[in-house]
Amino acid sequence: MNRSLKVLSVAAIVAIFAILALLIVRSEPSRREATFFPMGGIPFKVVAYGRSAVEFDADMAAVKRRVEDLEQRFNRFKEGSELAAVNGLDPGSSLEISSDMQRIIALSREWHGASLGAFDPTVTPLIELWRESGREGRLPDASRIAAARSMVGFDKVRVRGGKVRFARDGMSLDFGAIAKGLIADEVANLLMRRGVARGVIDAGGNGLAFGAGSFRFGIQDPMKERGMLMGAVDVTMGGVVTSGSYERFVKIGGRRYSHIIDPRDGMPVENGMIAATVVGGTGAGADSLATALMVLGKDEGRRVVKSLEGYDAMLVEGGPLGPVVWVSANLASRLVLTKEWAERVRLF
Ligand code: AMP
Ligand code: MG
């Protein structure tokens, strides 16, 4: 073989290897991840597969805009927000609302019904009453609870022709139990429209897997400090949301009162429930159902979960011999728990 041919064949081999290496790199599904801190600083994580760095940067810019926009609608504490305007409605008057606001109200109505009234974003006057009582350091008396209760009830929220009005004075909405889940749904839809085939969203603990493939989510141990897991669950397309009374509560007379209110008696929930994790369905559905299960407790809660297509749940309930973990049968094969928790499982 003459010298120039030999050089050529070496160059050809190098080129073939380079092309092969490039193909391997290209076929590797690129995983991209970014976290930002909207909604008063909650970590909002987005994972997307199959995106170039440039595409993912543009995706994230669009995600941030959408999340900011929705926060400006759904956050009752944010000055100038659409919800602040709704909550400030003069008695008897109505207000034209955005399609996003119509959607969250319609979804809330749906989940209010599906949860037998346990999920009710009109509990705001009761939330405020219990917060105030926490500051005062004394329990509210029955008359104050009754007064607040008269301003609660989702059936008193009326939407017609794109306008909302309240059937009672003093009513107001709080979407704290559904908004993060709905925002996760909206972000997943936005990413899919932009061409992201699969990914994961974690909106401050409200998980959502979208597109093809299965993803593993950790589940917080309700008896341990933040970040310690009781186990993990594999999810294919659907939400993973945990609601619990272990992190947020008011203290009155040395006792803890949950931040979740039972709309049926106006009291902070106190039914032995420690945490409820919902797996499946939409982000909004999993979020509102998780809160509702905390209210319903394990008996009614298990019935409601069984009545819903596409939703599974794990309920952690305190007991005299330590906590019991109620796991819906469909979930068992996709759930791994630490040994100490696995010993406490009962299927339903
Ligand atoms: P989550 O952390 O998703 O369980 O939502 C709890 C938040 O939802 C609370 O901090 C309240 O703002 C609000 N909330 C409390 N009780 C209820 C209820 N029964 N239905 C709907 N929202 C509630
Ligand atoms: Mg919730």
Side-chain angles (χ1 to χ4, degrees):
M1 205 191 284
N2 79 29
R3 203 179 136 76
S4 65
L5 257 181
K6 205 167 178 179
V7 169
L8 200 68
S9 64
V10 169
I13 289 167
V14 169
I16 286 166
F17 270 106
I19 289 165
L20 273 179
L22 197 71
L23 282 176
I24 290 167
V25 168
R26 287 288 288 275
S27 66
E28 181 85 5
S30 58
R31 180 186 185 280
R32 311 226 173 244
E33 179 185 320
T35 302
F36 63 112
F37 298 87
M39 306 184 224
I42 69 154
F44 195 113
K45 189 166 104 180
V46 176
V47 177
Y49 286 81
R51 301 301 268 174
S52 72
V54 172
E55 284 169 335
F56 189 61
D57 279 350
D59 291 338
M60 285 310 295
V63 165
K64 284 178 192 166
R65 277 198 303 276
R66 183 72 177 127
V67 171
E68 268 168 31
D69 176 40
L70 290 172
E71 193 195 356
Q72 193 57 36
R73 303 199 179 285
F74 300 154
N75 186 346
R76 75 180 169 104
F77 300 108
K78 199 150 187 186
E79 220 183 276
S81 74
E82 184 175 11
L83 186 55
V86 169
N87 287 345
L89 263 175
D90 285 329
S93 61
S94 61
L95 183 73
E96 196 161 317
I97 50 174
S98 65
S99 56
D100 288 321
M101 185 62 76
Q102 290 182 45
R103 179 129 183 275
I104 202 169
I105 293 176
L107 281 168
S108 293
R109 202 180 300 284
E110 206 175 287
W111 284 98
H112 176 66
S115 69
L116 314 175
F119 167 79
D120 189 337
T122 66
V123 291
T124 324
L126 288 162
I127 294 170
E128 293 301 326
L129 174 61
W130 282 95
R131 252 194 213 144
E132 210 176 290
S133 305
R135 281 194 296 270
E136 292 167 357
R138 62 187 177 95
L139 293 172
D141 56 34
S143 66
R144 288 174 83 193
I145 295 175
R149 282 184 69 195
S150 72
M151 299 180 277
V152 173
F154 209 83
D155 55 317
K156 303 187 197 85
V157 179
R158 308 279 159 78
V159 178
R160 242 175 93 180
K163 288 182 167 184
V164 69
R165 94 186 154 78
F166 296 131
R168 269 303 145 72
D169 293 353
M171 289 184 65
S172 65
L173 294 163
D174 176 320
F175 292 126
I178 185 174
K180 278 189 275 178
L182 179 56
I183 290 174
D185 289 331
E186 288 297 309
V187 168
N189 287 336
L190 177 139
L191 289 170
M192 286 191 287
R193 278 201 306 276
R194 292 179 63 88
V196 180
R198 67 187 192 111
V200 181
I201 291 154
D202 184 345
N206 281 245
L208 182 70
F210 65 92
S214 165
F215 297 99
R216 180 159 286 196
F217 291 84
I219 302 170
Q220 170 69 36
D221 186 325
M223 314 296 268
K224 295 209 176 113
E225 69 204 76
R226 188 185 268 246
M228 303 286 284
L229 303 182
M230 68 184 288
V233 61
D234 293 321
V235 181
T236 314
M237 289 237 282
V240 188
V241 180
T242 298
S243 192
S245 289
Y246 48 88
E247 266 187 335
R248 291 158 65 200
F249 47 82
V250 296
K251 233 174 173 166
I252 307 174
R255 276 199 51 197
R256 288 174 172 200
Y257 293 87
S258 173
H259 70 302
I260 298 171
I261 304 284
D262 188 336
R264 300 168 298 186
D265 65 4
M267 302 294 286
V269 293
E270 202 181 347
N271 51 13
M273 286 289 293
I274 297 170
T277 299
V278 175
V279 179
T282 63
D287 195 359
S288 34
L289 182 57
T291 307
L293 292 175
M294 289 300 295
V295 173
L296 291 167
K298 74 144 198 304
D299 292 331
E300 273 188 299
R302 284 180 302 175
R303 273 201 294 280
V304 165
V305 170
K306 283 188 153 194
S307 75
L308 292 168
E309 186 88 24
Y311 288 88
D312 290 296
M314 175 174 80
L315 311 177
V316 183
E317 187 204 20
L321 304 173
V324 176
V325 189
W326 297 92
V327 174
S328 55
N330 277 332
L331 194 59
S333 62
R334 289 176 284 144
L335 184 70
V336 280
L337 294 176
T338 61
K339 191 168 164 287
E340 49 179 334
W341 284 104
E343 284 165 357
R344 301 179 166 279
V345 166
R346 292 189 208 164
L347 297 183
F348 72 91

